[in-house]
């Protein structure tokens, strides 16, 4: 992750503010910064979104292409994630550092999205064992201002809501052969059911308390963090602990309570926004944490 250097006095100021439930920018410990979401921003994709979370900006493009189902799942389509950390977002992402972080986050998204029946993958199958839709999800970090995973997950859900899969007809001849006809009708597509798509909620332990949506300065004061994936019902679909410091059972319990509460609020706000702009070719809206 990108980092920032703080003096001992600055760290003490931030830690004491968190203890009093008043952060540098005026937020409480459970508040997100303002989120701006724009859908349909990349014309040559099946779906896209651009999200700005204060100084963190993420661009997501999704391309639906035909491919062959995986041998272990011959009747389903699948997702492929690729995360790109632009060196323009932070000099620390240049070279191997950015590559390692890209692989780590790509794996994290893949694990959460492909092991919990997040999408109706069977609907992406065209001919069992032969042809299916593969969704290539490219995530590009344009600017780094902290809380990257949460911002990326919000942008991915928005892009999935904006994704349009062309309707396909399977034609069979008298000899048993099969051919595929893709609709060229601009309205000949179907959208994805995203009600089970999770969002990441990162909880950063600072002093004796924890915060959500940490800034770069707050991340520099963080001793450990818990990244939880939460669906719209408040159910946890994944969890990973980061940082070298340990977390007590009580701290983990309190973090999970916050993750459920905040996760439900984020989903509700984003779903309301996406109901207005997510399914359209293009649209923009604001979500305030």
């Amino acid at each position: 992750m990108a980092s920032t250097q703080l003096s001992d006095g600055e760290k003490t100021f931030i830690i004491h503010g968190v203890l009093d439930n008043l952060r540098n920018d005026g937020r409480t410990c459970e508040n997100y910064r303002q989120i701006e979401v724009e859908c349909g921003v990349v014309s040559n994709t099946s779906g896209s979104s651009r999200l700005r979370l204060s100084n963190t900006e993420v661009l997501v493009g999704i391309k639906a292409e035909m491919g062959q189902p995986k041998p272990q799942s011959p009747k389903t389509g699948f997702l492929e994630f690729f995360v790109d950390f632009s060196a323009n977002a932070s000099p620390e992402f240049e070279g191997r550092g950015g590559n390692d972080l890209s692989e780590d986050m790509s794996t994290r998204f893949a694990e959460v999205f492909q092991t919990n029946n997040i999408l109706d993958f069977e609907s992406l199958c065209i001919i069992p064992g032969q042809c299916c839709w593969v969704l290539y999800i490219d995530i590009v970090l344009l600017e780094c201002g902290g809380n990257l995973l949460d911002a990326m997950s919000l942008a991915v859900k928005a892009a999935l809501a904006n994704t349009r899969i062309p309707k396909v007809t399977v034609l069979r001849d008298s000899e048993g052969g099969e051919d595929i006809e893709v609709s060229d009708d601009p309205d000949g597509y179907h959208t994805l059911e995203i009600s089970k798509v999770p969002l990441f909620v990162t909880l950063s332990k600072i002093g004796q308390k924890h915060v959500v949506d940490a800034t770069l300065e707050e991340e520099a004061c963080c001793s450990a963090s818990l990244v939880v994936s939460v669906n719209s019902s408040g159910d946890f679909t994944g969890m990973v602990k980061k940082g070298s410091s340990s977390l007590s059972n009580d701290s983990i319990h309190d973090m999970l309570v916050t993750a459920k509460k905040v996760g439900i609020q984020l989903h509700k706000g984003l779903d309301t926004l996406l109901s207005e702009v997510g399914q359209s070719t293009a649209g923009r809206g604001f979500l305030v944490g």
Side-chain angles (χ1 to χ4, degrees):
M1 295 287 188
S3 60
T4 186
Q5 298 297 320
L6 298 178
S7 67
D8 290 341
E10 289 172 319
K11 290 183 178 180
T12 300
F13 181 79
I14 291 174
I15 292 171
H16 285 179
V18 170
L19 186 62
D20 293 333
N21 199 29
L22 182 62
R23 297 155 77 176
N24 285 2
D25 52 13
R27 291 181 292 150
T28 66
C29 293
E30 296 184 0
N31 286 146
Y32 273 70
R33 293 164 287 179
Q34 179 175 278
I35 302 168
E36 178 185 357
V37 182
E38 188 176 2
C39 295
V41 294
V42 185
S43 59
N44 62 343
T45 62
S46 304
S48 62
S49 71
R50 186 173 190 144
L51 181 138
R52 174 170 282 277
L53 173 61
S54 187
N55 293 331
T56 295
E57 187 170 5
V58 179
L59 179 67
V60 175
I62 301 178
K63 282 195 173 184
E65 298 183 1
M66 290 187 186
Q68 187 172 359
K70 295 181 178 180
Q72 64 271 28
S73 305
K75 296 182 179 181
T76 65
F78 57 94
L79 310 177
E80 291 284 354
F81 284 93
F82 177 74
V83 181
D84 179 25
F85 287 88
S86 169
N88 292 328
S90 171
E92 297 180 32
F93 298 147
E94 190 170 1
R96 188 61 192 172
N99 292 337
D100 290 342
L101 193 55
S102 171
E103 293 175 6
D104 177 65
M105 288 203 173
S106 298
T107 300
R108 189 161 299 166
F109 271 99
E111 289 175 346
V112 170
F113 273 74
Q114 295 181 357
T115 59
N116 293 284
N117 298 319
I118 299 302
L119 297 173
D120 181 10
F121 291 109
E122 290 187 2
S123 68
L124 298 178
C125 182
I126 300 173
I127 302 176
Q130 298 183 43
C131 186
C132 69
W133 287 110
V134 183
L135 302 184
Y136 294 97
I137 303 179
D138 293 310
I139 307 170
V140 182
L141 179 68
L142 302 176
E143 188 175 354
C144 182
N147 198 22
L148 304 186
L149 264 175
D150 295 19
M152 289 179 179
S153 69
L154 285 160
V156 166
K157 181 172 180 177
L160 287 170
N162 183 247
T163 297
R164 297 170 296 282
I165 310 294
K167 290 184 178 179
V168 173
T169 303
V170 179
L171 306 175
R172 294 177 172 84
D173 56 32
S174 58
E175 298 179 356
E178 295 176 318
D179 195 12
I180 297 172
E181 183 179 275
V182 181
S183 173
D184 56 4
D185 182 354
D187 296 322
Y189 64 84
H190 64 87
T191 56
L192 299 169
E193 171 56 56
I194 63 166
S195 61
K196 294 182 180 180
V197 171
L199 295 175
F200 286 121
V201 177
T202 301
L203 305 113
S204 304
K205 186 71 179 292
I206 299 177
Q208 300 302 312
K209 299 188 70 174
H210 60 267
V211 302
V212 299
D213 186 23
T215 63
L216 285 177
E217 292 77 16
E218 289 171 336
E219 289 179 354
C221 303
C222 174
S223 57
S225 61
L226 199 65
V227 181
V228 184
S229 56
V230 188
N231 64 22
S232 58
S233 300
D235 299 323
F236 302 137
T237 61
M239 185 189 329
V240 63
K241 183 259 182 188
K242 299 166 60 181
S244 56
S245 298
S246 61
L247 294 171
S248 67
N249 289 337
D250 289 341
S251 292
I252 294 175
H253 175 268
D254 292 342
M255 286 178 162
L256 292 178
V257 170
T258 300
K260 180 174 183 176
K261 174 184 175 182
V262 172
I264 292 175
Q265 292 173 347
L266 277 178
H267 275 289
K268 188 175 297 184
L270 185 60
D271 289 343
T272 300
L273 187 152
L274 292 177
S275 67
E276 302 171 359
V277 304
Q279 299 289 352
S280 61
T281 302
R284 174 184 293 180
F286 292 90
L287 171 67
V288 179

